[in-house]
Amino acid sequence: MATKQEEQQTQAARHQEVGHKSLLQSDALYQYILETSVYPGEHEAMKELREITAKHPWNIMTTSADEGQFLSMLLKLMNAKNTMEIGVYTGYSLLATALALPDDGKILAMDINRENYQLGLPVIQKAGVAHKIDFREGPALPLLDQLIEDKSNHGTYDFIFVDADKDNYINYHKRLIDLVKVGGVIGYDNTLWNGSVVAPPDAPLRKYVRYYRDFVLELNKAMAADPRIEICQLPVGDGITLCRRVY
Amino acid sequence: MELSTGMEPGASAQKEEKKKKEEEMATKQEEQQTQAGRHQEVGHKSLLQSDALYQYILETSVYPGEHEAMKELREITANHPWNIMTTSADEGQFLSMLLKLMNAKNTMEIGVYTGYSLLATALALPDDGKILAMDINRENYELGLPVIQKAGVAHKIDFREGPALPLLDQLIEDKSNHGTYDFIFVDADKDNYLNYHKRLIDLVKVGGVIGYDNTLWNGSVVAPPDAPMRKYVRYYRDFVLELNKALAADPRIEICQLPVGDGITLCRRVY
């Protein structure tokens, strides 16, 4: 047991090396953005959830503060009301979304792990926005297939945020393209994959980074070629690709 | 100095003067070219961790879907000596998406240059969309105008030559202009951004956005005090640092500072 715990801790430490550098030219520049433009206006609930999550061993998975701020602005500019989130973790982007939506806004949120969500839920409740969230534990594909079967669900989502298993993004996309409304947006997270999308073939890469990189590269090509969407790939966080459905 | 045989003293003096003038011209041209060259070094690296990553974004996600007019204007502008000033392709794509998501219709642009962001805007707005565009230099705009016309969107543009502040003051005086702009893009003289902001905050509608360009100023916002820096970069950097603090502290806006291009800060008016 002790060896297993040690292994997990070492693994977590290795993950922390890899994660949460930004994609920017220097850490200093990234810190500047955070300190100058993000933290001053940050909702206290976001700060609290950020600090809780920072203590968690898998915190590499969390949405970063600059990304949360961007999602918030995007949702407000779009007047989004009915959204979906695939991949919740402790709920940082979920909280950002819930704070940005109007009081009668709704978020269908899915994750295979309810425990992590429950870490963040008290903060979301304290912020007074938990009532907007419908959380479903389990893999996303079966639920998406259910939604797709009922045509009255088609074109009903203003915004869908996907921050989950990269080897399933294209499978999600095949369903989400009919669930998002025309003019609505699907956002795919981690599409620049720690910058590894341009790493030379012989670059030392962690196994999981190298494994998922192929899926990310494939996804990026597929998004650019999909005639049903217009895209915009932003170097925020680990890379977000916004896909606006055109028909 | 040589005296050729058979030449009169006056003629050779003239020849000398001509030679001197030519040398002066050549030096000046050289200077301008070097200056442009230096500008090109400074400009259009991105703010990202590597050029390779930036190129990847352009080649994978920007160029495939790019409107042909954007490509054409980009290429025309690339040949211009002051092309450091142009909006980059990834920024153009982002502006386009933003405008569509906002359903923007009535916009303003301060700082046009050859019109790359203006074209991106005009393509993104509906057919009855309108852009009030200002620049001190009509010549550069006229470089891009044929492309904008060919794209069929020139009718949306109302171009005014001259400094922006007097025109903004005029607009402000008439209260019926207040809160009438969905989106305002400022890509101009950094030492005036805060002066613009004082007017634009009342011209943009509640819920609308003012976008300020170059707010990360080539990354120099975090350069150590002794870092070697071009004079103009250092000069304007103080204004950029001050602007960023002021925008973060302005209670009438919510902001978002994105590392797209040279840094865009979006400011959404809340009241």
Side-chain angles (χ1 to χ4, degrees):
Chain A
M1 261 282 259
T3 319
K4 201 167 188 193
Q5 269 177 9
E6 224 178 75
E7 254 180 50
Q8 277 186 348
Q9 276 170 359
T10 321
Q11 214 179 37
R14 283 203 221 114
H15 280 297
Q16 292 204 25
E17 290 166 33
V18 176
H20 286 294
K21 289 181 198 149
S22 70
L23 295 169
L24 305 187
Q25 52 182 224
S26 68
D27 282 342
L29 186 60
Y30 182 50
Q31 278 302 123
Y32 175 83
I33 294 174
L34 291 175
E35 277 157 31
T36 309
S37 304
V38 182
Y39 295 154
E42 192 182 34
H43 194 290
E44 50 185 12
M46 299 288 280
K47 181 165 194 256
E48 195 181 339
L49 184 47
R50 196 157 45 77
E51 288 170 350
I52 290 173
T53 307
K55 303 197 180 93
H56 195 268
W58 292 93
N59 61 28
I60 182 186
M61 295 203 293
T62 190
T63 305
S64 55
D66 51 316
E67 206 175 336
Q69 186 191 48
F70 174 64
L71 283 177
S72 171
M73 170 144 323
L74 189 65
L75 291 161
K76 290 176 186 179
L77 293 179
M78 293 178 66
N79 289 314
K81 199 157 148 180
N82 192 35
T83 76
M84 187 195 300
E85 176 162 298
I86 300 176
V88 171
Y89 185 47
T90 58
Y92 191 78
S93 56
L94 186 54
L95 172 60
T97 303
L99 287 170
L101 297 190
D103 194 62
D104 59 344
K106 303 234 168 300
I107 311 161
L108 177 60
M110 312 169 204
D111 199 291
I112 51 172
N113 183 319
R114 185 183 279 277
E115 253 182 63
N116 292 335
Y117 169 57
Q118 280 168 339
L119 257 180
L121 185 52
V123 179
I124 298 177
Q125 284 165 333
K126 194 161 58 164
V129 292
H131 64 282
K132 304 179 193 179
I133 300 168
D134 176 4
F135 179 87
R136 311 289 183 87
E137 188 181 20
L141 278 175
L143 179 48
L144 292 181
D145 281 334
Q146 237 182 26
L147 289 170
I148 280 288
E149 250 180 67
D150 182 355
K151 289 226 140 88
S152 69
N153 288 319
H154 289 210
T156 58
Y157 291 90
D158 302 314
F159 179 75
I160 300 174
F161 190 53
V162 183
D163 188 8
D165 41 342
K166 318 302 158 206
D167 47 345
N168 262 322
Y169 275 27
I170 291 190
N171 296 325
Y172 296 146
H173 188 71
K174 291 191 176 89
R175 286 109 175 131
L176 298 178
I177 190 62
D178 286 316
L179 293 173
V180 75
K181 74 176 187 189
V182 172
V185 169
I186 308 167
Y188 292 102
D189 201 22
N190 303 104
T191 61
L192 291 172
W193 203 226
N194 206 35
S196 72
V197 288
V198 293
D202 57 347
L205 282 178
R206 303 216 176 284
K207 262 206 208 141
Y208 84 94
V209 173
R210 187 181 290 283
Y211 172 70
Y212 287 114
R213 183 176 65 155
D214 288 341
F215 294 100
V216 172
L217 290 169
E218 195 192 327
L219 172 80
N220 291 338
K221 285 200 207 115
M223 296 297 100
D226 185 342
R228 295 182 71 183
I229 53 175
E230 282 174 2
I231 69 171
C232 181
Q233 187 172 34
L234 297 169
V236 178
D238 193 28
I240 309 179
T241 301
L242 303 178
C243 307
R244 195 180 73 95
R245 178 179 173 186
V246 288
Y247 68 85
Chain B
M1 170 176 129
E2 288 169 47
L3 279 175
S4 344
T5 33
M7 264 193 139
E8 292 170 47
S12 78
Q14 263 183 13
K15 194 174 172 205
E16 218 185 88
E17 214 179 282
K18 190 175 175 205
K19 195 170 166 194
K20 210 168 156 189
K21 271 210 177 120
E22 282 171 2
E23 275 175 15
E24 266 176 37
M25 273 272 269
T27 318
K28 201 167 186 193
Q29 267 177 15
E30 223 179 74
E31 253 181 50
Q32 277 186 349
Q33 275 170 3
T34 321
Q35 212 179 38
R38 282 200 223 115
H39 281 298
Q40 292 202 23
E41 291 167 31
V42 177
H44 289 297
K45 290 179 195 148
S46 69
L47 296 168
L48 305 187
Q49 54 183 220
S50 69
D51 282 340
L53 186 60
Y54 182 51
Q55 277 306 121
Y56 174 83
I57 295 174
L58 291 175
E59 278 158 29
T60 309
S61 303
V62 182
Y63 294 155
E66 191 182 35
H67 193 289
E68 49 184 13
M70 298 289 281
K71 181 167 194 252
E72 194 181 339
L73 184 46
R74 197 157 43 79
E75 287 169 351
I76 290 172
T77 306
N79 294 325
H80 195 271
W82 291 92
N83 61 29
I84 183 187
M85 295 203 292
T86 190
T87 305
S88 55
D90 51 315
E91 205 176 338
Q93 188 190 48
F94 174 64
L95 283 177
S96 172
M97 171 145 320
L98 188 65
L99 291 162
K100 290 176 186 178
L101 294 179
M102 293 177 67
N103 289 314
K105 201 157 146 180
N106 192 35
T107 76
M108 186 195 298
E109 176 163 299
I110 301 176
V112 171
Y113 184 46
T114 58
Y116 191 78
S117 57
L118 186 55
L119 173 60
T121 304
L123 288 169
L125 297 190
D127 194 62
D128 58 346
K130 303 236 170 297
I131 312 161
L132 177 61
M134 312 170 203
D135 199 290
I136 50 172
N137 185 318
R138 183 183 280 277
E139 251 182 65
N140 291 335
Y141 170 57
E142 280 166 358
L143 257 180
L145 185 53
V147 180
I148 298 178
Q149 283 164 334
K150 194 161 55 163
V153 292
H155 64 281
K156 305 180 193 178
I157 300 168
D158 176 5
F159 179 85
R160 310 289 183 86
E161 187 181 22
L165 278 175
L167 179 49
L168 292 180
D169 280 335
Q170 237 182 28
L171 289 170
I172 281 285
E173 250 181 68
D174 182 353
K175 288 227 143 92
S176 69
N177 290 318
H178 289 210
T180 57
Y181 290 90
D182 301 315
F183 178 75
I184 300 174
F185 189 52
V186 183
D187 187 10
D189 41 342
K190 319 301 161 205
D191 46 346
N192 262 322
Y193 275 27
L194 278 175
N195 295 326
Y196 297 146
H197 187 70
K198 291 191 175 88
R199 287 110 174 129
L200 298 177
I201 191 63
D202 285 317
L203 293 172
V204 75
K205 72 177 189 189
V206 172
V209 169
I210 308 166
Y212 291 102
D213 201 22
N214 303 106
T215 61
L216 292 172
W217 203 226
N218 206 37
S220 71
V221 288
V222 293
D226 57 346
M229 222 182 284
R230 307 219 175 283
K231 261 205 209 140
Y232 83 95
V233 173
R234 188 182 292 283
Y235 172 69
Y236 287 114
R237 181 175 69 153
D238 288 341
F239 293 100
V240 171
L241 290 169
E242 194 192 330
L243 172 78
N244 291 339
K245 284 198 207 116
L247 294 178
D250 185 343
R252 295 182 71 182
I253 54 175
E254 284 174 0
I255 68 171
C256 180
Q257 185 171 35
L258 298 169
V260 179
D262 194 28
I264 308 180
T265 302
L266 302 178
C267 307
R268 195 181 73 95
R269 179 178 173 187
V270 290
Y271 70 85

